[in-house]
Amino acid sequence: MPAHRIKSPRLLVAESGADREGHGLKRTMGLFQLVCFGVGAIVGTGIFVGLSDSVAEAGPAVVVSFVLAAITCVFTAFAFAELGGAIPVSGSSYSFAYAGLGERTAFLVGWCLLLEYGVSVSAVAVGWSQYVNELLDSVVGLQLPHALSAGPGDGGLISLPAVIVIALACVLLVRGVRESARATAAMAVLKLAVLVAFCAIGFVAFKDGNLTPFSPAGLGGIGAGTTAAFFSYIGFDAITTAGEEAKNPRRDIPIAILVCIGLVTLLYCAVAVAAIGAVGGDTVGDRPAALSYVVNEVTGSTIGGGIVAFGAVVAIASVVLAVMYGQTRILLSMSRDGLVPPVFEKVSPRTATPVAGTLIVGVVFALPAAFAPLDAVVNLCTIGTLATMAAVNIAVIALRRREPGLARTFRVPLYPVTPLLGVGFCLYLIYETGATTWLQFAVFLAVGLLVYSAYGRRHSRLARTSLSAEDAAERVPQEA
Protein backbone atom coordinates (compact mmCIF):
# COMPACT_ATOMS: atom_id res chain seq x y z
CA MET A 1 0.00 0.00 0.00
CA PRO A 2 1.36 3.51 -0.82
CA ALA A 3 0.65 4.74 2.69
CA HIS A 4 3.18 2.19 4.00
CA ARG A 5 5.95 2.95 1.51
CA ILE A 6 8.58 4.16 3.93
CA LYS A 7 11.96 5.37 2.76
CA SER A 8 14.67 4.66 5.30
CA PRO A 9 16.79 7.57 6.58
CA ARG A 10 19.96 5.92 5.23
CA LEU A 11 18.44 5.69 1.75
CA LEU A 12 17.32 9.33 1.86
CA VAL A 13 20.80 10.47 2.85
CA ALA A 14 22.50 8.23 0.28
CA GLU A 15 20.27 9.35 -2.62
CA SER A 16 20.74 13.01 -1.79
CA GLY A 17 24.48 12.79 -1.26
CA ALA A 18 23.91 14.69 1.97
CA ASP A 19 27.09 13.38 3.58
CA ARG A 20 29.05 14.36 0.49
CA GLU A 21 28.27 17.05 -2.09
CA GLY A 22 24.51 17.05 -2.33
CA HIS A 23 22.85 16.07 -5.63
CA GLY A 24 24.57 18.71 -7.75
CA LEU A 25 24.24 21.33 -4.99
CA LYS A 26 27.31 22.95 -3.42
CA ARG A 27 28.12 23.06 0.30
CA THR A 28 28.75 26.73 1.05
CA MET A 29 26.73 27.55 4.20
CA GLY A 30 28.33 27.61 7.65
CA LEU A 31 26.62 28.06 11.03
CA PHE A 32 26.51 31.87 10.80
CA GLN A 33 24.93 31.72 7.34
CA LEU A 34 22.36 29.18 8.57
CA VAL A 35 21.40 31.37 11.54
CA CYS A 36 21.11 34.39 9.25
CA PHE A 37 19.11 32.28 6.80
CA GLY A 38 16.72 31.33 9.62
CA VAL A 39 16.36 34.92 10.82
CA GLY A 40 15.89 35.95 7.20
CA ALA A 41 13.07 33.42 6.79
CA ILE A 42 11.27 34.35 10.02
CA VAL A 43 11.62 38.07 10.76
CA GLY A 44 9.65 40.12 8.27
CA THR A 45 5.98 40.75 7.66
CA GLY A 46 5.00 39.00 10.90
CA ILE A 47 6.54 41.74 13.05
CA PHE A 48 6.66 44.71 10.67
CA VAL A 49 3.09 44.26 9.37
CA GLY A 50 1.40 41.50 11.37
CA LEU A 51 2.14 42.95 14.83
CA SER A 52 -0.81 45.31 14.49
CA ASP A 53 -3.17 42.36 13.80
CA SER A 54 -1.96 40.48 16.88
CA VAL A 55 -2.25 43.58 19.08
CA ALA A 56 -5.79 44.18 17.80
CA GLU A 57 -6.75 40.73 19.12
CA ALA A 58 -4.82 40.56 22.40
CA GLY A 59 -3.91 44.14 23.34
CA PRO A 60 -0.78 44.45 25.51
CA ALA A 61 -1.16 40.73 26.29
CA VAL A 62 0.22 40.15 22.78
CA VAL A 63 3.49 39.43 24.62
CA VAL A 64 1.81 36.35 26.10
CA SER A 65 0.55 35.44 22.63
CA PHE A 66 4.08 35.63 21.23
CA VAL A 67 5.39 33.45 24.06
CA LEU A 68 2.65 30.83 23.55
CA ALA A 69 3.34 30.77 19.80
CA ALA A 70 7.05 30.46 20.59
CA ILE A 71 6.44 27.53 22.96
CA THR A 72 4.63 25.72 20.17
CA CYS A 73 7.57 26.42 17.89
CA VAL A 74 10.15 25.40 20.52
CA PHE A 75 8.66 21.95 21.01
CA THR A 76 8.56 21.48 17.26
CA ALA A 77 12.00 23.06 16.87
CA PHE A 78 13.42 20.27 19.05
CA ALA A 79 11.85 17.76 16.65
CA PHE A 80 13.25 19.57 13.60
CA ALA A 81 16.66 19.76 15.28
CA GLU A 82 16.75 16.00 15.89
CA LEU A 83 15.57 15.04 12.42
CA GLY A 84 17.54 17.78 10.67
CA GLY A 85 20.75 16.44 12.22
CA ALA A 86 19.88 12.79 11.56
CA ILE A 87 18.49 13.23 8.02
CA PRO A 88 20.26 16.29 6.55
CA VAL A 89 18.47 16.49 3.20
CA SER A 90 16.71 19.28 1.30
CA GLY A 91 13.23 17.85 1.77
CA SER A 92 12.83 19.04 5.38
CA SER A 93 9.41 18.07 6.83
CA TYR A 94 8.51 16.17 3.68
CA SER A 95 11.56 13.89 3.91
CA PHE A 96 11.13 13.45 7.66
CA ALA A 97 7.54 12.31 7.10
CA TYR A 98 8.64 9.97 4.29
CA ALA A 99 11.08 8.27 6.67
CA GLY A 100 8.72 8.15 9.63
CA LEU A 101 5.12 8.09 8.43
CA GLY A 102 5.06 6.82 4.84
CA GLU A 103 4.71 8.12 1.31
CA ARG A 104 1.10 9.28 1.28
CA THR A 105 1.51 11.27 4.49
CA ALA A 106 4.80 12.65 3.17
CA PHE A 107 3.09 13.86 0.00
CA LEU A 108 0.38 15.60 2.05
CA VAL A 109 3.08 17.22 4.20
CA GLY A 110 4.76 18.44 1.01
CA TRP A 111 1.35 19.62 -0.22
CA CYS A 112 0.91 21.62 3.01
CA LEU A 113 4.40 23.08 2.59
CA LEU A 114 3.40 24.34 -0.86
CA LEU A 115 0.53 26.15 0.85
CA GLU A 116 2.69 27.41 3.74
CA TYR A 117 5.46 28.80 1.59
CA GLY A 118 3.23 29.94 -1.26
CA VAL A 119 0.80 31.94 0.87
CA SER A 120 3.50 33.28 3.18
CA VAL A 121 5.69 34.51 0.31
CA SER A 122 2.73 36.10 -1.46
CA ALA A 123 1.46 37.71 1.75
CA VAL A 124 4.94 38.90 2.64
CA ALA A 125 5.40 40.40 -0.82
CA VAL A 126 2.08 42.26 -0.48
CA GLY A 127 3.21 43.59 2.91
CA TRP A 128 6.37 44.81 1.21
CA SER A 129 4.23 47.23 -0.81
CA GLN A 130 3.07 49.02 2.35
CA TYR A 131 6.58 49.79 3.49
CA VAL A 132 7.82 50.67 -0.01
CA ASN A 133 5.20 53.41 -0.07
CA GLU A 134 6.10 54.46 3.48
CA LEU A 135 9.78 54.67 2.49
CA LEU A 136 9.06 56.65 -0.68
CA ASP A 137 6.87 59.04 1.30
CA SER A 138 9.62 59.59 3.88
CA VAL A 139 12.40 60.08 1.33
CA VAL A 140 10.81 61.95 -1.58
CA GLY A 141 7.28 62.74 -0.37
CA LEU A 142 5.65 60.55 -3.01
CA GLN A 143 3.85 57.22 -3.10
CA LEU A 144 3.09 54.75 -5.83
CA PRO A 145 -0.42 55.07 -7.29
CA HIS A 146 -2.87 52.85 -5.43
CA ALA A 147 -3.70 51.10 -8.69
CA LEU A 148 -0.09 49.84 -8.92
CA SER A 149 0.51 49.07 -5.24
CA ALA A 150 -2.60 47.01 -4.40
CA GLY A 151 -4.42 44.09 -5.95
CA PRO A 152 -8.04 44.11 -7.14
CA GLY A 153 -9.24 42.86 -3.75
CA ASP A 154 -7.86 46.03 -2.13
CA GLY A 155 -9.18 48.46 -4.70
CA GLY A 156 -6.15 48.51 -7.01
CA LEU A 157 -5.16 46.79 -10.24
CA ILE A 158 -1.88 45.05 -9.42
CA SER A 159 0.56 44.95 -6.51
CA LEU A 160 3.60 45.80 -8.61
CA PRO A 161 6.11 45.98 -5.71
CA ALA A 162 5.11 42.44 -4.71
CA VAL A 163 5.94 41.18 -8.20
CA ILE A 164 9.25 43.08 -8.21
CA VAL A 165 10.49 41.64 -4.89
CA ILE A 166 9.67 38.08 -6.00
CA ALA A 167 11.46 38.66 -9.32
CA LEU A 168 14.55 40.00 -7.51
CA ALA A 169 14.55 36.94 -5.24
CA CYS A 170 14.39 34.68 -8.30
CA VAL A 171 17.41 36.40 -9.83
CA LEU A 172 19.49 35.92 -6.67
CA LEU A 173 18.42 32.29 -6.23
CA VAL A 174 19.24 31.44 -9.82
CA ARG A 175 22.71 32.99 -9.55
CA GLY A 176 23.78 30.58 -6.81
CA VAL A 177 23.39 29.70 -3.14
CA ARG A 178 26.60 31.48 -2.14
CA GLU A 179 25.28 34.80 -3.46
CA SER A 180 21.86 34.16 -1.90
CA ALA A 181 23.41 33.29 1.47
CA ARG A 182 25.55 36.43 1.48
CA ALA A 183 22.59 38.63 0.61
CA THR A 184 20.43 36.96 3.26
CA ALA A 185 23.13 37.37 5.92
CA ALA A 186 23.59 41.06 5.13
CA MET A 187 19.84 41.69 5.19
CA ALA A 188 19.40 39.74 8.45
CA VAL A 189 22.05 41.78 10.25
CA LEU A 190 20.55 45.03 8.95
CA LYS A 191 16.98 44.27 9.99
CA LEU A 192 18.08 43.10 13.46
CA ALA A 193 19.92 46.41 13.87
CA VAL A 194 16.81 48.36 12.82
CA LEU A 195 14.56 46.47 15.26
CA VAL A 196 17.03 46.95 18.12
CA ALA A 197 17.12 50.67 17.30
CA PHE A 198 13.29 50.71 17.25
CA CYS A 199 13.22 49.18 20.74
CA ALA A 200 15.65 51.83 22.00
CA ILE A 201 13.43 54.61 20.63
CA GLY A 202 10.22 53.01 21.89
CA PHE A 203 11.50 52.48 25.43
CA VAL A 204 12.53 56.14 25.66
CA ALA A 205 8.83 57.07 25.42
CA PHE A 206 7.59 54.09 27.46
CA LYS A 207 4.58 54.74 29.76
CA ASP A 208 3.32 52.13 32.21
CA GLY A 209 -0.28 53.23 31.70
CA ASN A 210 -0.19 52.15 28.08
CA LEU A 211 -0.01 48.51 29.21
CA THR A 212 -3.38 48.66 31.01
CA PRO A 213 -5.78 47.03 30.67
CA PHE A 214 -3.28 44.26 29.96
CA SER A 215 -5.72 41.79 28.44
CA PRO A 216 -8.83 43.67 27.31
CA ALA A 217 -10.31 40.67 25.49
CA GLY A 218 -9.39 38.08 28.15
CA LEU A 219 -8.18 34.58 27.40
CA GLY A 220 -10.08 34.50 24.14
CA GLY A 221 -8.16 37.51 22.90
CA ILE A 222 -4.86 35.94 23.93
CA GLY A 223 -5.78 32.74 22.07
CA ALA A 224 -6.77 34.65 18.93
CA GLY A 225 -3.60 36.74 19.27
CA THR A 226 -1.54 33.55 19.53
CA THR A 227 -2.96 32.24 16.27
CA ALA A 228 -2.18 35.58 14.59
CA ALA A 229 1.27 35.73 16.20
CA PHE A 230 2.11 32.24 15.02
CA PHE A 231 2.26 33.56 11.45
CA SER A 232 5.26 35.61 12.62
CA TYR A 233 7.24 32.41 13.27
CA ILE A 234 6.54 30.68 9.99
CA GLY A 235 9.79 29.94 8.20
CA PHE A 236 12.15 28.55 10.86
CA ASP A 237 11.71 25.09 9.38
CA ALA A 238 13.26 26.41 6.15
CA ILE A 239 16.67 25.99 7.82
CA THR A 240 16.41 22.24 7.36
CA THR A 241 15.99 22.67 3.58
CA ALA A 242 19.67 23.69 3.49
CA GLY A 243 20.73 20.18 4.52
CA GLU A 244 22.51 19.51 1.23
CA GLU A 245 24.16 22.94 1.03
CA ALA A 246 25.40 23.30 4.61
CA LYS A 247 29.07 22.55 5.27
CA ASN A 248 28.38 20.54 8.43
CA PRO A 249 24.61 19.93 8.45
CA ARG A 250 24.52 17.30 11.20
CA ARG A 251 26.09 19.71 13.68
CA ASP A 252 24.98 23.13 12.46
CA ILE A 253 21.30 22.65 11.56
CA PRO A 254 20.12 21.76 15.11
CA ILE A 255 22.10 24.66 16.60
CA ALA A 256 20.83 27.15 14.01
CA ILE A 257 17.18 26.19 14.58
CA LEU A 258 17.30 26.62 18.36
CA VAL A 259 19.32 29.85 18.20
CA CYS A 260 16.85 31.37 15.74
CA ILE A 261 13.75 30.56 17.80
CA GLY A 262 15.28 31.98 20.98
CA LEU A 263 16.60 35.13 19.31
CA VAL A 264 13.39 35.85 17.41
CA THR A 265 11.15 35.35 20.48
CA LEU A 266 13.16 37.82 22.58
CA LEU A 267 13.10 40.31 19.72
CA TYR A 268 9.36 40.01 19.08
CA CYS A 269 8.48 40.49 22.76
CA ALA A 270 10.79 43.50 23.06
CA VAL A 271 9.36 45.15 19.92
CA ALA A 272 5.76 44.55 21.06
CA VAL A 273 6.38 46.01 24.53
CA ALA A 274 8.27 48.99 23.09
CA ALA A 275 5.54 49.78 20.54
CA ILE A 276 2.60 49.45 22.94
CA GLY A 277 4.44 51.15 25.79
CA ALA A 278 5.20 54.13 23.56
CA VAL A 279 1.79 54.85 22.02
CA GLY A 280 -0.72 52.33 23.45
CA GLY A 281 -2.32 49.15 22.16
CA ASP A 282 -5.34 50.91 20.62
CA THR A 283 -3.02 53.00 18.47
CA VAL A 284 -0.88 50.06 17.32
CA GLY A 285 -3.77 47.69 16.61
CA ASP A 286 -4.86 47.36 12.97
CA ARG A 287 -2.53 50.16 11.82
CA PRO A 288 -0.60 49.70 8.54
CA ALA A 289 3.19 50.17 8.84
CA ALA A 290 2.73 50.43 12.62
CA LEU A 291 6.42 50.51 13.54
CA SER A 292 7.14 53.49 11.30
CA TYR A 293 4.14 55.28 12.80
CA VAL A 294 5.41 54.67 16.35
CA VAL A 295 8.85 56.09 15.56
CA ASN A 296 7.34 59.12 13.83
CA GLU A 297 5.12 59.80 16.84
CA VAL A 298 7.94 59.42 19.36
CA THR A 299 10.54 61.46 17.45
CA GLY A 300 8.19 64.01 15.91
CA SER A 301 9.92 63.48 12.57
CA THR A 302 9.44 61.26 9.54
CA ILE A 303 13.16 60.50 9.30
CA GLY A 304 13.11 57.78 11.95
CA GLY A 305 10.00 56.24 10.41
CA GLY A 306 11.75 56.27 7.05
CA ILE A 307 14.68 54.33 8.52
CA VAL A 308 12.28 51.76 9.99
CA ALA A 309 10.51 51.55 6.63
CA PHE A 310 13.86 50.91 4.95
CA GLY A 311 14.57 48.16 7.49
CA ALA A 312 11.14 46.67 6.79
CA VAL A 313 11.74 46.74 3.02
CA VAL A 314 15.03 44.87 3.54
CA ALA A 315 13.55 42.49 6.13
CA ILE A 316 10.57 41.51 4.04
CA ALA A 317 12.73 41.03 0.95
CA SER A 318 14.95 38.62 2.90
CA VAL A 319 11.90 36.57 3.92
CA VAL A 320 10.85 36.25 0.29
CA LEU A 321 14.37 35.14 -0.63
CA ALA A 322 14.73 32.58 2.18
CA VAL A 323 11.26 31.06 1.87
CA MET A 324 11.46 30.77 -1.92
CA TYR A 325 14.80 29.00 -1.44
CA GLY A 326 13.12 26.51 0.89
CA GLN A 327 10.25 25.91 -1.51
CA THR A 328 12.54 25.11 -4.44
CA ARG A 329 14.55 22.62 -2.34
CA ILE A 330 11.44 20.81 -1.12
CA LEU A 331 10.16 20.50 -4.68
CA LEU A 332 13.61 19.22 -5.68
CA SER A 333 13.33 16.44 -3.08
CA MET A 334 9.76 15.55 -4.07
CA SER A 335 10.77 15.49 -7.74
CA ARG A 336 13.75 13.27 -6.91
CA ASP A 337 11.24 10.81 -5.42
CA GLY A 338 9.00 11.02 -8.49
CA LEU A 339 6.06 12.60 -6.67
CA VAL A 340 6.11 15.84 -8.69
CA PRO A 341 7.30 16.42 -12.29
CA PRO A 342 11.04 15.93 -13.00
CA VAL A 343 11.60 19.55 -14.05
CA PHE A 344 11.95 20.51 -10.38
CA GLU A 345 14.97 18.27 -9.75
CA LYS A 346 17.07 19.56 -12.63
CA VAL A 347 20.14 21.39 -11.27
CA SER A 348 22.16 23.69 -13.52
CA PRO A 349 25.79 22.51 -13.70
CA ARG A 350 26.91 26.13 -14.06
CA THR A 351 25.15 27.69 -11.05
CA ALA A 352 24.45 24.49 -9.04
CA THR A 353 20.86 25.67 -8.54
CA PRO A 354 17.47 24.35 -9.75
CA VAL A 355 16.99 27.14 -12.29
CA ALA A 356 13.80 25.91 -13.99
CA GLY A 357 12.16 25.04 -10.68
CA THR A 358 13.05 28.44 -9.24
CA LEU A 359 11.54 30.31 -12.20
CA ILE A 360 8.34 28.24 -12.05
CA VAL A 361 8.01 28.89 -8.32
CA GLY A 362 8.58 32.60 -8.89
CA VAL A 363 5.78 32.84 -11.46
CA VAL A 364 3.36 30.80 -9.34
CA PHE A 365 4.07 32.92 -6.25
CA ALA A 366 3.92 36.24 -8.12
CA LEU A 367 0.42 35.73 -9.53
CA PRO A 368 -1.50 35.63 -6.22
CA ALA A 369 0.80 38.32 -4.77
CA ALA A 370 -0.09 40.61 -7.68
CA PHE A 371 -3.82 40.03 -7.92
CA ALA A 372 -5.38 37.86 -5.20
CA PRO A 373 -6.72 38.97 -1.79
CA LEU A 374 -4.72 36.84 0.65
CA ASP A 375 -6.32 37.74 3.98
CA ALA A 376 -8.89 34.97 3.55
CA VAL A 377 -6.26 32.24 3.25
CA VAL A 378 -3.73 33.33 5.89
CA ASN A 379 -5.49 31.13 8.49
CA LEU A 380 -5.43 28.28 5.97
CA CYS A 381 -1.68 28.77 5.66
CA THR A 382 -1.39 28.71 9.47
CA ILE A 383 -3.36 25.48 9.87
CA GLY A 384 -1.33 23.82 7.11
CA THR A 385 1.89 24.80 8.88
CA LEU A 386 0.59 23.51 12.22
CA ALA A 387 -0.42 20.19 10.65
CA THR A 388 3.07 19.86 9.18
CA MET A 389 4.66 20.58 12.56
CA ALA A 390 2.45 18.00 14.25
CA ALA A 391 3.52 15.44 11.62
CA VAL A 392 7.22 16.16 12.31
CA ASN A 393 6.71 15.61 16.05
CA ILE A 394 4.98 12.30 15.34
CA ALA A 395 7.78 11.34 12.94
CA VAL A 396 10.30 11.74 15.78
CA ILE A 397 8.37 9.18 17.83
CA ALA A 398 7.98 6.82 14.87
CA LEU A 399 11.69 6.92 14.02
CA ARG A 400 12.79 6.48 17.63
CA ARG A 401 10.86 3.20 17.59
CA ARG A 402 11.75 2.06 14.07
CA GLU A 403 15.35 3.33 13.88
CA PRO A 404 16.76 3.29 17.43
CA GLY A 405 20.32 3.02 16.10
CA LEU A 406 20.07 6.01 13.74
CA ALA A 407 22.95 8.45 14.26
CA ARG A 408 21.48 11.54 15.94
CA THR A 409 23.61 14.60 16.63
CA PHE A 410 20.79 16.08 18.73
CA ARG A 411 18.07 14.33 20.70
CA VAL A 412 14.73 15.79 21.73
CA PRO A 413 14.89 16.36 25.51
CA LEU A 414 12.35 14.69 27.81
CA TYR A 415 11.30 12.23 25.10
CA PRO A 416 8.43 11.34 24.50
CA VAL A 417 6.84 14.16 26.52
CA THR A 418 8.30 16.95 24.37
CA PRO A 419 7.05 15.75 20.95
CA LEU A 420 3.65 14.91 22.46
CA LEU A 421 3.42 18.42 23.89
CA GLY A 422 4.43 19.73 20.47
CA VAL A 423 1.49 17.88 18.91
CA GLY A 424 -0.81 19.13 21.68
CA PHE A 425 0.10 22.78 21.19
CA CYS A 426 -0.31 22.44 17.42
CA LEU A 427 -3.78 20.97 17.90
CA TYR A 428 -4.72 23.81 20.27
CA LEU A 429 -3.75 26.45 17.72
CA ILE A 430 -5.52 24.48 14.97
CA TYR A 431 -8.66 24.61 17.14
CA GLU A 432 -8.27 28.38 17.48
CA THR A 433 -8.36 28.89 13.69
CA GLY A 434 -12.11 28.16 13.64
CA ALA A 435 -14.56 25.87 11.86
CA THR A 436 -14.42 27.73 8.53
CA THR A 437 -10.67 27.19 8.30
CA TRP A 438 -11.05 23.51 9.28
CA LEU A 439 -13.44 23.03 6.36
CA GLN A 440 -11.12 24.84 3.95
CA PHE A 441 -8.23 22.69 5.10
CA ALA A 442 -10.23 19.46 4.70
CA VAL A 443 -11.01 20.44 1.10
CA PHE A 444 -7.35 21.36 0.52
CA LEU A 445 -6.21 17.94 1.80
CA ALA A 446 -8.82 16.17 -0.33
CA VAL A 447 -7.46 17.92 -3.42
CA GLY A 448 -3.95 16.88 -2.35
CA LEU A 449 -5.03 13.25 -2.12
CA LEU A 450 -6.48 13.44 -5.62
CA VAL A 451 -3.22 14.88 -6.97
CA TYR A 452 -1.25 12.16 -5.21
CA SER A 453 -3.51 9.44 -6.60
CA ALA A 454 -3.41 10.87 -10.12
CA TYR A 455 0.33 11.59 -10.32
CA GLY A 456 2.48 10.90 -7.27
CA ARG A 457 1.35 7.36 -6.60
CA ARG A 458 1.85 6.36 -10.24
CA HIS A 459 5.27 7.96 -10.65
CA SER A 460 6.77 7.14 -7.25
CA ARG A 461 10.34 5.90 -7.75
CA LEU A 462 10.22 3.98 -4.51
CA ALA A 463 7.22 2.05 -5.79
CA ARG A 464 8.86 1.29 -9.13
CA THR A 465 12.16 0.07 -7.82
CA SER A 466 12.73 -3.67 -7.81
CA LEU A 467 14.15 -3.45 -4.29
CA SER A 468 12.25 -2.53 -1.16
CA ALA A 469 13.36 0.56 0.71
CA GLU A 470 14.92 -1.59 3.41
CA ASP A 471 16.85 -3.76 0.95
CA ALA A 472 18.13 -0.67 -0.82
CA ALA A 473 19.18 0.88 2.48
CA GLU A 474 21.17 -2.22 3.39
CA ARG A 475 23.18 -1.85 0.17
CA VAL A 476 24.22 1.68 1.16
CA PRO A 477 27.52 1.62 3.09
CA GLN A 478 27.11 2.50 6.74
CA GLU A 479 28.87 5.50 8.21
CA ALA A 480 32.17 4.70 9.82
Side-chain angles (χ1 to χ4, degrees), residues 189-441:
V189 171
L190 177 60
K191 67 183 173 183
L192 289 179
V194 168
L195 288 174
V196 169
F198 170 84
C199 290
I201 294 170
F203 282 123
V204 168
F206 185 86
K207 296 177 183 177
D208 293 343
N210 286 334
L211 298 182
T212 57
F214 183 69
S215 182
L219 292 177
I222 292 175
T226 301
T227 302
F230 181 79
F231 188 76
S232 304
Y233 287 92
I234 288 178
F236 78 86
D237 54 319
I239 296 172
T240 56
T241 64
E244 295 172 37
E245 290 158 289
K247 293 177 182 177
N248 190 349
R250 294 185 183 274
R251 183 199 68 184
D252 291 347
I253 285 178
I255 296 173
I257 290 172
L258 298 177
V259 168
C260 282
I261 292 294
L263 178 64
V264 167
T265 300
L266 290 174
L267 190 64
Y268 282 179
C269 290
V271 169
V273 172
I276 296 170
V279 299
D282 291 340
T283 304
V284 175
D286 281 332
R287 180 176 292 277
L291 299 192
S292 289
Y293 175 83
V294 171
V295 173
N296 289 341
E297 286 293 299
V298 171
T299 62
S301 167
T302 60
I303 296 175
I307 293 173
V308 171
F310 175 72
V313 167
V314 171
I316 295 171
S318 72
V319 173
V320 173
L321 179 64
V323 174
M324 283 185 63
Y325 168 91
Q327 181 68 88
T328 59
R329 271 49 180 182
I330 288 168
L331 285 170
L332 184 149
S333 292
M334 295 181 73
S335 180
R336 181 189 296 156
D337 293 328
L339 302 186
V340 298
V343 65
F344 292 103
E345 71 170 320
K346 294 179 180 178
V347 175
S348 166
R350 186 173 64 86
T351 63
T353 59
V355 174
T358 299
L359 296 177
I360 292 171
V361 166
V363 171
V364 171
F365 284 3
L367 288 174
F371 301 110
L374 297 170
D375 291 346
V377 293
V378 166
N379 271 350
L380 183 59
C381 171
T382 296
I383 196 173
T385 304
L386 289 165
T388 297
M389 290 183 170
V392 171
N393 280 288
I394 296 170
V396 167
I397 297 173
L399 284 170
R400 284 283 189 101
R401 292 176 177 236
R402 188 180 303 115
E403 298 276 354
L406 180 66
R408 293 171 171 88
T409 55
F410 176 88
R411 286 180 175 268
V412 169
L414 300 177
Y415 174 86
V417 175
T418 298
L420 290 175
L421 285 173
V423 173
F425 272 93
C426 288
L427 292 177
Y428 165 70
L429 292 183
I430 286 173
Y431 171 78
E432 287 289 339
T433 60
T436 300
T437 305
W438 304 342
L439 179 60
Q440 290 175 340
F441 187 57

